Amino acid sequence: FLDGRPVAAAADWPARRAEVLRLFEEHVYGRSPAAPTGMRFVVVESDPRALGGLATRRQVRVLLDGTESGPAFEILLYVPNAARRPVPAFLGLNFDGNHAVHPDPGIRLSTAWMDEGPGVVGNRATATARGTNAAAWPVERILDRGYALATVYYGDLEPDHAEGWRDGVRARIGPGTSGRFAAEDWGAIAAWAWGLQRALDYLETLPAVDAKRVGIEGVSRYGKAALVTMAFEPRFALVLVGSSGEGGAK
Protein backbone atom coordinates (compact mmCIF):
# COMPACT_ATOMS: atom_id res chain seq x y z
CA PHE A 1 0.00 0.00 0.00
CA LEU A 2 1.02 3.65 -0.27
CA ASP A 3 1.74 3.69 3.44
CA GLY A 4 4.24 0.85 3.07
CA ARG A 5 2.10 -2.04 4.32
CA PRO A 6 2.37 -5.20 2.17
CA VAL A 7 -0.62 -6.58 0.31
CA ALA A 8 -0.74 -9.84 2.19
CA ALA A 9 -3.95 -11.46 0.95
CA ALA A 10 -6.31 -11.46 -2.03
CA ALA A 11 -8.93 -9.72 0.08
CA ASP A 12 -6.54 -6.74 0.41
CA TRP A 13 -6.18 -6.30 -3.32
CA PRO A 14 -9.30 -4.19 -4.08
CA ALA A 15 -8.09 -1.45 -1.74
CA ARG A 16 -4.60 -1.52 -3.26
CA ARG A 17 -6.10 -1.57 -6.75
CA ALA A 18 -8.02 1.61 -5.92
CA GLU A 19 -4.76 3.27 -4.88
CA VAL A 20 -3.08 2.28 -8.15
CA LEU A 21 -6.00 3.63 -10.17
CA ARG A 22 -5.82 6.95 -8.33
CA LEU A 23 -2.11 7.18 -9.20
CA PHE A 24 -2.86 6.54 -12.87
CA GLU A 25 -5.56 9.21 -12.78
CA GLU A 26 -3.31 11.78 -11.14
CA HIS A 27 -0.13 11.15 -13.12
CA VAL A 28 -1.03 9.55 -16.46
CA TYR A 29 -4.57 9.59 -17.86
CA GLY A 30 -6.39 12.18 -15.76
CA ARG A 31 -9.68 12.04 -13.90
CA SER A 32 -12.79 11.32 -15.95
CA PRO A 33 -16.31 12.44 -15.02
CA ALA A 34 -19.09 10.08 -14.04
CA ALA A 35 -21.77 9.04 -16.51
CA PRO A 36 -24.06 11.99 -17.35
CA THR A 37 -27.36 11.81 -15.53
CA GLY A 38 -29.42 13.00 -18.52
CA MET A 39 -27.94 10.64 -21.10
CA ARG A 40 -30.38 9.20 -23.67
CA PHE A 41 -30.11 6.53 -26.37
CA VAL A 42 -31.91 7.14 -29.68
CA VAL A 43 -32.16 4.44 -32.34
CA VAL A 44 -31.66 6.29 -35.61
CA GLU A 45 -31.72 3.24 -37.90
CA SER A 46 -32.56 -0.44 -37.59
CA ASP A 47 -32.70 -3.37 -40.02
CA PRO A 48 -33.66 -6.86 -38.77
CA ARG A 49 -32.44 -8.47 -42.01
CA ALA A 50 -29.03 -6.87 -42.44
CA LEU A 51 -26.15 -8.60 -44.25
CA GLY A 52 -28.52 -10.87 -46.14
CA GLY A 53 -30.43 -11.82 -43.00
CA LEU A 54 -27.36 -12.75 -40.97
CA ALA A 55 -27.88 -10.04 -38.36
CA THR A 56 -29.99 -7.25 -36.99
CA ARG A 57 -28.24 -3.93 -37.53
CA ARG A 58 -28.91 -1.06 -35.17
CA GLN A 59 -27.41 2.42 -35.22
CA VAL A 60 -27.80 4.37 -32.02
CA ARG A 61 -27.08 7.98 -31.21
CA VAL A 62 -25.95 8.47 -27.62
CA LEU A 63 -27.08 11.92 -26.49
CA LEU A 64 -24.72 12.50 -23.61
CA ASP A 65 -26.65 15.38 -22.06
CA GLY A 66 -30.01 14.19 -23.36
CA THR A 67 -30.34 16.90 -26.02
CA GLU A 68 -30.06 16.70 -29.80
CA SER A 69 -27.74 19.72 -29.88
CA GLY A 70 -25.43 18.48 -27.13
CA PRO A 71 -22.38 16.19 -27.23
CA ALA A 72 -23.13 12.83 -28.82
CA PHE A 73 -21.65 9.80 -30.54
CA GLU A 74 -22.99 6.90 -32.61
CA ILE A 75 -22.82 3.17 -31.99
CA LEU A 76 -23.02 0.65 -34.82
CA LEU A 77 -24.32 -2.68 -33.53
CA TYR A 78 -24.82 -6.05 -35.24
CA VAL A 79 -26.58 -8.86 -33.38
CA PRO A 80 -26.61 -12.34 -34.99
CA ASN A 81 -30.10 -13.53 -35.85
CA ALA A 82 -29.35 -17.26 -35.61
CA ALA A 83 -27.83 -17.24 -32.12
CA ARG A 84 -29.77 -17.91 -28.95
CA ARG A 85 -30.32 -14.73 -26.96
CA PRO A 86 -28.82 -13.03 -25.08
CA VAL A 87 -25.48 -13.11 -26.90
CA PRO A 88 -22.01 -12.07 -25.74
CA ALA A 89 -20.51 -9.09 -27.57
CA PHE A 90 -17.31 -7.45 -28.67
CA LEU A 91 -16.95 -3.67 -28.49
CA GLY A 92 -14.20 -1.53 -29.94
CA LEU A 93 -13.25 1.87 -31.24
CA ASN A 94 -12.59 2.19 -34.96
CA PHE A 95 -10.09 4.43 -36.74
CA ASP A 96 -11.98 5.46 -39.87
CA GLY A 97 -15.69 5.78 -39.04
CA ASN A 98 -18.41 3.17 -38.54
CA HIS A 99 -19.00 3.12 -42.30
CA ALA A 100 -15.42 1.88 -42.86
CA VAL A 101 -15.74 -1.39 -40.91
CA HIS A 102 -17.96 -3.01 -43.56
CA PRO A 103 -19.25 -2.10 -47.06
CA ASP A 104 -22.83 -2.55 -45.84
CA PRO A 105 -24.63 0.37 -47.58
CA GLY A 106 -27.02 0.72 -44.65
CA ILE A 107 -24.31 2.06 -42.34
CA ARG A 108 -24.62 5.80 -41.86
CA LEU A 109 -21.73 7.81 -43.28
CA SER A 110 -19.93 9.66 -40.51
CA THR A 111 -19.98 13.46 -40.63
CA ALA A 112 -17.20 13.86 -38.03
CA TRP A 113 -13.63 15.02 -38.64
CA MET A 114 -11.27 12.26 -39.73
CA ASP A 115 -7.71 11.99 -40.85
CA GLU A 116 -6.99 12.02 -44.57
CA GLY A 117 -7.07 8.57 -46.11
CA PRO A 118 -9.00 6.39 -48.57
CA GLY A 119 -12.34 7.99 -49.32
CA VAL A 120 -11.67 11.03 -47.11
CA VAL A 121 -11.63 14.49 -48.69
CA GLY A 122 -11.04 17.63 -46.67
CA ASN A 123 -11.12 15.59 -43.45
CA ARG A 124 -14.65 14.36 -44.21
CA ALA A 125 -15.76 10.91 -45.37
CA THR A 126 -17.19 10.34 -48.82
CA ALA A 127 -19.18 7.36 -50.07
CA THR A 128 -15.99 5.74 -51.37
CA ALA A 129 -14.81 5.38 -47.75
CA ARG A 130 -17.32 2.58 -47.13
CA GLY A 131 -15.63 -0.66 -46.13
CA THR A 132 -12.10 0.72 -46.46
CA ASN A 133 -11.07 -0.82 -43.12
CA ALA A 134 -13.12 -4.01 -43.47
CA ALA A 135 -10.00 -6.21 -43.47
CA ALA A 136 -9.58 -5.39 -39.77
CA TRP A 137 -13.20 -6.20 -38.91
CA PRO A 138 -14.24 -9.82 -39.72
CA VAL A 139 -17.90 -8.96 -39.15
CA GLU A 140 -19.44 -12.08 -40.67
CA ARG A 141 -17.05 -14.41 -38.83
CA ILE A 142 -17.88 -12.75 -35.50
CA LEU A 143 -21.61 -13.03 -36.17
CA ASP A 144 -21.36 -16.62 -37.43
CA ARG A 145 -19.71 -17.60 -34.15
CA GLY A 146 -22.58 -16.17 -32.14
CA TYR A 147 -21.21 -12.84 -30.98
CA ALA A 148 -22.67 -9.38 -31.35
CA LEU A 149 -20.36 -6.61 -32.53
CA ALA A 150 -20.52 -2.96 -31.51
CA THR A 151 -18.18 -0.21 -32.62
CA VAL A 152 -17.75 3.52 -32.12
CA TYR A 153 -15.76 5.98 -34.23
CA TYR A 154 -13.17 7.48 -31.90
CA GLY A 155 -13.46 10.86 -33.64
CA ASP A 156 -17.04 11.17 -32.38
CA LEU A 157 -15.56 11.27 -28.87
CA GLU A 158 -12.42 13.27 -29.64
CA PRO A 159 -10.87 13.91 -33.07
CA ASP A 160 -7.29 12.69 -33.23
CA HIS A 161 -5.28 15.90 -33.57
CA ALA A 162 -3.76 18.43 -31.19
CA GLU A 163 -6.86 20.65 -31.01
CA GLY A 164 -9.31 17.76 -31.25
CA TRP A 165 -10.57 18.30 -27.71
CA ARG A 166 -12.30 21.48 -28.89
CA ASP A 167 -14.72 19.36 -30.97
CA GLY A 168 -14.94 16.40 -28.59
CA VAL A 169 -16.63 15.45 -25.37
CA ARG A 170 -13.93 17.02 -23.18
CA ALA A 171 -14.92 20.50 -24.34
CA ARG A 172 -18.56 19.94 -23.44
CA ILE A 173 -18.53 17.65 -20.40
CA GLY A 174 -16.51 18.09 -17.24
CA PRO A 175 -13.72 20.59 -16.56
CA GLY A 176 -12.91 21.30 -20.23
CA THR A 177 -16.07 23.33 -20.62
CA SER A 178 -14.11 26.25 -19.17
CA GLY A 179 -11.53 25.96 -21.96
CA ARG A 180 -8.77 25.09 -19.51
CA PHE A 181 -7.56 21.77 -18.15
CA ALA A 182 -5.71 21.16 -14.92
CA ALA A 183 -2.84 18.68 -14.98
CA GLU A 184 -5.00 15.97 -13.41
CA ASP A 185 -7.98 16.42 -15.77
CA TRP A 186 -8.76 13.75 -18.37
CA GLY A 187 -6.88 13.48 -21.64
CA ALA A 188 -7.79 12.01 -25.02
CA ILE A 189 -7.17 8.36 -24.10
CA ALA A 190 -9.33 8.76 -21.01
CA ALA A 191 -12.04 10.36 -23.15
CA TRP A 192 -12.01 7.44 -25.58
CA ALA A 193 -12.15 4.99 -22.67
CA TRP A 194 -15.01 6.97 -21.12
CA GLY A 195 -16.94 6.70 -24.39
CA LEU A 196 -16.54 2.92 -24.40
CA GLN A 197 -18.02 2.83 -20.91
CA ARG A 198 -21.02 4.82 -22.13
CA ALA A 199 -21.42 2.36 -25.01
CA LEU A 200 -21.57 -0.43 -22.43
CA ASP A 201 -24.26 1.56 -20.62
CA TYR A 202 -26.32 1.22 -23.79
CA LEU A 203 -25.61 -2.48 -24.27
CA GLU A 204 -26.87 -3.08 -20.74
CA THR A 205 -30.32 -1.89 -21.86
CA LEU A 206 -30.66 -4.56 -24.57
CA PRO A 207 -32.30 -7.94 -23.82
CA ALA A 208 -30.57 -9.34 -26.93
CA VAL A 209 -27.07 -8.76 -25.49
CA ASP A 210 -25.49 -10.41 -22.46
CA ALA A 211 -23.96 -7.28 -20.94
CA LYS A 212 -22.03 -9.34 -18.40
CA ARG A 213 -20.07 -10.91 -21.27
CA VAL A 214 -18.85 -7.91 -23.24
CA GLY A 215 -15.21 -7.84 -24.31
CA ILE A 216 -13.35 -4.78 -25.56
CA GLU A 217 -10.61 -4.77 -28.15
CA GLY A 218 -8.17 -2.30 -29.61
CA VAL A 219 -4.92 -1.86 -31.52
CA SER A 220 -2.23 0.81 -31.03
CA ARG A 221 -3.54 3.92 -29.26
CA TYR A 222 -6.97 2.32 -29.11
CA GLY A 223 -5.29 -0.65 -27.51
CA LYS A 224 -4.21 1.80 -24.82
CA ALA A 225 -7.79 3.06 -24.62
CA ALA A 226 -9.08 -0.52 -24.29
CA LEU A 227 -6.64 -1.23 -21.45
CA VAL A 228 -7.60 1.96 -19.63
CA THR A 229 -11.26 1.11 -20.09
CA MET A 230 -10.75 -2.35 -18.62
CA ALA A 231 -8.76 -0.95 -15.69
CA PHE A 232 -11.36 1.61 -14.71
CA GLU A 233 -14.52 -0.31 -15.64
CA PRO A 234 -14.94 -3.71 -13.94
CA ARG A 235 -18.17 -4.43 -15.86
CA PHE A 236 -16.14 -5.55 -18.90
CA ALA A 237 -15.39 -9.27 -18.99
CA LEU A 238 -12.45 -9.46 -21.39
CA VAL A 239 -9.88 -7.26 -23.13
CA LEU A 240 -8.01 -8.02 -26.37
CA VAL A 241 -5.14 -5.67 -27.09
CA GLY A 242 -2.59 -5.50 -29.91
CA SER A 243 0.48 -3.28 -30.31
CA SER A 244 -0.45 -0.88 -27.50
CA GLY A 245 3.20 0.12 -27.02
CA GLU A 246 4.51 2.81 -24.68
CA GLY A 247 1.94 3.77 -22.08
CA GLY A 248 0.07 0.59 -22.91
CA ALA A 249 0.78 -3.09 -22.26
CA LYS A 250 4.51 -2.51 -22.75
Side-chain angles (χ1 to χ4, degrees), residues 94-117:
N94 65 72
F95 284 91
D96 302 307
N98 294 346
H99 58 267
V101 306
H102 195 281
D104 180 357
I107 302 174
R108 287 158 54 91
L109 197 65
S110 175
T111 60
W113 183 97
M114 55 189 59
D115 203 1
E116 294 293 336

Side-chain angles (χ1 to χ4, degrees), residues 7-250:
V7 178
D12 296 336
W13 171 245
R16 176 57 181 150
R17 180 181 185 276
E19 289 185 340
V20 174
L21 288 176
R22 284 196 295 272
L23 289 171
F24 270 99
E25 284 183 320
E26 182 176 354
H27 298 291
V28 187
Y29 299 110
R31 294 188 177 95
S32 301
T37 56
M39 183 169 58
R40 289 195 299 127
F41 308 115
V42 178
V43 178
V44 294
E45 188 275 338
S46 183
D47 182 357
R49 304 296 297 170
L51 306 181
L54 178 62
T56 295
R57 182 187 63 239
R58 183 177 288 192
Q59 296 177 82
V60 179
R61 191 158 180 81
V62 181
L63 306 178
L64 291 167
D65 67 0
T67 68
E68 292 286 349
S69 60
F73 67 91
E74 288 200 8
I75 302 170
L76 170 65
L77 172 67
Y78 287 105
V79 178
N81 286 332
R84 291 194 295 177
R85 309 296 177 88
V87 298
F90 286 105
L91 168 65
L93 297 172
N94 65 72
F95 284 91
D96 302 307
N98 294 346
H99 58 267
V101 306
H102 195 281
D104 180 357
I107 302 174
R108 287 158 54 91
L109 197 65
S110 175
T111 60
W113 183 97
M114 55 189 59
D115 203 1
E116 294 293 336
V120 178
V121 178
N123 298 116
R124 292 295 186 271
T126 69
T128 58
R130 293 187 179 280
T132 51
N133 199 27
W137 294 86
V139 175
E140 283 84 357
R141 181 183 297 181
I142 292 168
L143 295 168
D144 281 337
R145 294 193 178 185
Y147 300 100
L149 173 65
T151 187
V152 173
Y153 173 48
Y154 79 119
D156 275 355
L157 299 164
E158 175 153 335
D160 195 4
H161 58 84
E163 296 296 311
W165 69 271
R166 297 182 183 275
D167 297 318
V169 296
R170 289 196 295 146
R172 307 181 75 179
I173 292 176
T177 54
S178 67
R180 289 191 291 253
F181 292 99
E184 68 274 12
D185 290 336
W186 54 336
I189 289 176
W192 295 329
W194 185 86
L196 289 171
Q197 293 173 67
R198 305 291 71 80
L200 180 58
D201 292 339
Y202 171 67
L203 294 179
E204 285 185 328
T205 70
L206 299 178
V209 173
D210 183 352
K212 295 187 182 302
R213 292 191 296 161
V214 176
I216 50 173
E217 61 81 27
V219 174
S220 190
R221 69 187 65 201
Y222 310 131
K224 294 180 179 69
L227 283 170
V228 172
T229 307
M230 188 74 175
F232 284 91
E233 182 49 82
R235 291 179 295 166
F236 283 103
L238 176 77
V239 63
L240 300 172
V241 174
S243 304
S244 58
E246 302 291 352
K250 187 173 180 181

